[in-house]
Amino acid sequence: ELQCAARRHADVSPARLLEAATLGGARVLGCEDQLGTLEAGRPAHLTAVRLPEQSADDPHRLLANPEAQVVGRWFAGLADGG
């Protein structure tokens, strides 16, 4: 989804797109006090991404790169086999 948003909204910084996908999504759902950031005591929903072997001035830009591949996902600390 981040890669699609980066293509469709090239004028928005990758850092802002990542915030919109995490904390922004939690705000829309009214759950920002429970979700959207990594903090002690909050459930962790994580996605591990293999980044392309290249450098970038903005590391967020690597996440939006179409070559970035999801290699694992965890929901509330449990792997889903992603």
Side-chain angles (χ1 to χ4, degrees):
E1 292 86 4
L2 184 63
Q3 294 169 356
C4 178
R7 283 192 305 273
R8 297 183 97 184
H9 304 284
D11 57 323
V12 179
S13 76
R16 179 66 187 112
L17 290 172
L18 183 59
E19 180 184 342
T22 55
L23 184 56
R27 283 184 184 132
V28 168
L29 295 172
C31 300
E32 67 271 22
D33 60 331
Q34 301 168 29
L35 303 171
T37 60
L38 290 176
E39 295 182 36
R42 290 187 178 197
H45 309 313
L46 303 171
T47 301
V49 178
R50 179 176 292 123
L51 299 176
E53 292 186 24
Q54 63 188 42
S55 63
D57 293 336
D58 179 358
H60 297 96
R61 192 168 303 286
L62 293 175
L63 291 173
N65 186 311
E67 295 178 26
Q69 298 176 330
V70 172
V71 294
R73 292 184 299 262
W74 295 264
F75 183 77
L78 302 174
D80 77 353

